[in-house]
Amino acid sequence: MNNGMRYAVIATSVLVIAAMVMVWLTVDLNAAGQVASIVAACAAVIALARELLRRGGQSAVAVALRTGRASARSGADANSGITGPANSLHGEFQAERTGDADGDGGNANTGIRLS
């Protein structure tokens, strides 16, 4: 979140709090409690919807860029890129200008390997 957005969120929060205080001061406490309950319920629904939309809309990006050389001998593994379970990484994958992989009897990876 950039600074402009932070300031906007802080300013909006201050205004909402000030408005709620004004309502509490001008109406009786029973009505103020009802208003506060409605405001809290609306805020909770908005926060939940925002989080669900944010998680669904963003995807992780895995990039292996300018990786070094990987050499594996006699059944060994060597990796200078990205490796992991296929179900743990989601989104876009890129491998650019990766290093040399030499797997003389082993497994060598300089890009992206999902298992």
Side-chain angles (χ1 to χ4, degrees), residues 13-27 32-33 35-40 43:
S13 299
V14 169
L15 289 174
V16 168
I17 290 170
M20 289 174 59
V21 169
M22 292 303 294
V23 168
W24 292 334
L25 292 175
T26 58
V27 299
V35 170
S37 297
I38 292 169
V39 169

Side-chain angles (χ1 to χ4, degrees), residues 45-80:
V45 170
I46 290 169
L48 177 62
R50 180 180 173 266
E51 185 64 21
L52 290 173
L53 290 173
R54 185 176 68 90
R55 287 192 182 195
Q58 291 182 344
S59 61
V61 177
V63 179
L65 177 64
R66 289 186 238 164
T67 60
R69 179 178 169 81
S71 291
R73 306 269 187 264
S74 303
D77 288 330
N79 179 51
S80 66

Side-chain angles (χ1 to χ4, degrees), residues 34 42 49 114:
Q34 292 173 352
C42 291
L114 303 178

Side-chain angles (χ1 to χ4, degrees), residues 1 10 28 36 45 92:
M1 181 182 299
I10 291 170
D28 64 32
V45 170
E92 181 181 336

